[in-house]
């Protein structure tokens, strides 16, 4: 678990090092809401679940803005965030 204040910076740093089809998941304390980011070549697929169910493709340039918006919506009162890295098979 990491602090919410460091969640965006930590996620972006780990996403830079993520291999192709690698995933990074940010979850609330109860793990019922969150965001899953999967690297797809030079872009990212962002899947939001919880308050809003939405999947979108985002370029590396627009990823920070998109994640910041999602974190505010999905984690409105959170102080701690679960962070999981994984790998999806294509």
């Amino acid at each position: 678990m990491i602090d919410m204040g460091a969640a965006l910076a930590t996620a972006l740093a780990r996403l830079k090092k993520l291999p192709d089809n690698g995933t990074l998941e940010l979850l609330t304390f109860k793990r019922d809401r969150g965001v899953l980011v999967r690297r797809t070549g030079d872009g990212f697929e962002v899947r939001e679940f919880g308050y809003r169910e939405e999947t979108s493709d985002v370029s590396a340039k627009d990823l920070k803005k998109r994640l910041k918006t999602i974190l505010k919506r999905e984690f409105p009162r959170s102080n701690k965030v679960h962070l999981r890295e994984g790998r999806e098979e294509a």
Side-chain angles (χ1 to χ4, degrees), residues 11-20 39 85:
L12 290 172
R14 290 193 183 186
L15 284 168
K16 285 182 182 178
K17 301 174 188 175
L18 209 59
D20 205 19
R39 185 176 200 102
E85 280 189 56

